[in-house]
Amino acid sequence: VELDITGLEDYIKRKRAEGLKITLTHIFTLAVARALAAEVPELNTYVRRGNIIHREHIDAMVSILLKEQQMGTIHVPDADKLTLKEVSLYMHDQIKKSRKGDENKTMRLKGLVALIPWPFRNWLYKLLKRITIDWGFSLPSIGLGVNSFGSFMVTNIGSIGLDMGFPALFPVSNVAMVFVLGGVSEKPWVVDGEIRIRRIVSLGAALDHRAADASHGGRLFNYLKKIVLNPEILEVKP
């Protein structure tokens, strides 16, 4: 989906001038979390032993750019209940910790698995998937369980120079959706019957078809369109 965010970028500039350091990532992470709470609860699910299970909370897992072009992640618990200011402050604090080397359990596990030579790594990966995803057991000591990757994942590929992406579901994460925030560019756009140059963003999502279908994607993006036009909604508690 492509959306006109000319007005949204003006809103971000105003808020940053007021001291609230927000970006498109903050806005869309919070907007997607609110969408799962209000419009598409079917996306706040996971599959366990062939059954669709609803999660008790709506947590977000957000990809971030660390030092030396390395990617990391931060976990935002109960994201739907936060305000834009609270999301901004929390993510800023977590990013700061990650860049100092204070990684969460998921990132530490990723580093440890990378040290294991193939094919032993592949065997371990399959074993972990079988225990956590197929059988539904949690391994909290190593940071693996049905909620380790939150309710959904967000990746801002626009921040690394990519305009559009087609995300893939990460099997071991067991999330029903991966949301992609693409690049922003100037394009001719029809506004009130006239062609104007506007700021356009590319958005994408991959859905687990065991839990959802295209109609849920449509409801998700309809909600996001509403937020783009009325970002002030995110400033207050839902």
Side-chain angles (χ1 to χ4, degrees):
V1 172
E2 288 187 323
L3 293 182
D4 179 357
I5 58 166
T6 307
L8 181 61
E9 286 193 323
D10 291 339
Y11 169 82
I12 291 174
K13 288 178 183 177
R14 291 197 305 271
K15 287 300 169 182
R16 291 181 73 89
E18 295 171 7
L20 182 59
K21 297 180 180 179
I22 57 172
T23 65
L24 290 174
T25 299
H26 297 111
I27 288 177
F28 280 105
T29 298
L30 182 53
V32 171
R34 295 273 185 101
L36 266 60
E39 298 294 333
V40 275
E42 296 89 346
L43 292 178
N44 188 34
T45 60
Y46 64 95
V47 179
R48 183 176 65 190
R49 301 171 195 162
N51 297 312
I52 306 299
I53 310 297
H54 279 265
R55 299 181 189 275
E56 296 180 359
H57 305 278
I58 299 177
D59 301 346
M61 182 66 81
V62 186
S63 293
I64 57 171
L65 186 64
L66 301 176
K67 54 187 177 181
E68 298 177 356
Q69 297 298 307
Q70 292 181 345
M71 299 299 293
T73 58
I74 56 174
H75 188 267
V76 184
D78 292 316
D80 61 306
K81 298 178 181 178
L82 303 177
T83 64
L84 194 53
K85 182 177 181 179
E86 290 170 340
V87 165
S88 173
L89 292 174
Y90 181 83
M91 289 180 61
H92 176 74
D93 181 61
Q94 294 301 307
I95 290 172
K96 212 164 143 187
K97 289 180 180 179
S98 295
R99 287 176 175 165
K100 285 182 179 179
D102 184 11
E103 297 178 329
N104 56 41
K105 288 183 179 179
T106 303
M107 290 304 297
R108 286 198 294 270
L109 178 62
K110 178 182 175 183
L112 290 173
V113 171
L115 296 175
I116 300 174
W118 187 91
F120 304 108
R121 183 193 312 161
N122 195 35
W123 297 342
L124 176 62
Y125 179 85
K126 289 181 177 179
L127 176 62
L128 293 175
K129 180 179 180 296
R130 176 63 59 87
I131 294 172
T132 59
I133 305 304
D134 298 339
W135 294 344
F137 295 110
S138 295
L139 300 172
S141 60
I142 60 173
L144 272 184
V146 294
N147 294 309
S148 297
F149 291 84
S151 302
F152 64 98
M153 302 176 71
V154 176
T155 177
N156 184 354
I157 63 173
S159 65
I160 54 175
L162 299 175
D163 293 329
M164 185 178 295
F166 297 89
L169 291 168
F170 182 36
V172 77
S173 69
N174 209 6
V175 296
M177 180 186 64
V178 176
F179 182 81
V180 168
L181 179 58
V184 180
S185 58
E186 292 186 345
K187 292 186 178 182
W189 207 254
V190 178
V191 181
D192 297 328
E194 297 180 356
I195 297 178
R196 301 179 187 175
I197 300 300
R198 306 288 286 182
R199 298 278 291 171
I200 307 300
V201 68
S202 298
L203 305 175
L207 307 180
D208 186 341
H209 274 269
R210 297 175 299 174
D213 57 29
S215 67
H216 302 100
R219 282 154 53 192
L220 168 67
F221 284 109
N222 282 334
Y223 184 87
L224 297 182
K225 290 175 184 177
K226 181 177 79 170
I227 294 298
V228 166
L229 295 175
N230 305 280
E232 298 84 4
I233 293 174
L234 303 179
E235 294 183 42
V236 297
K237 290 284 187 180

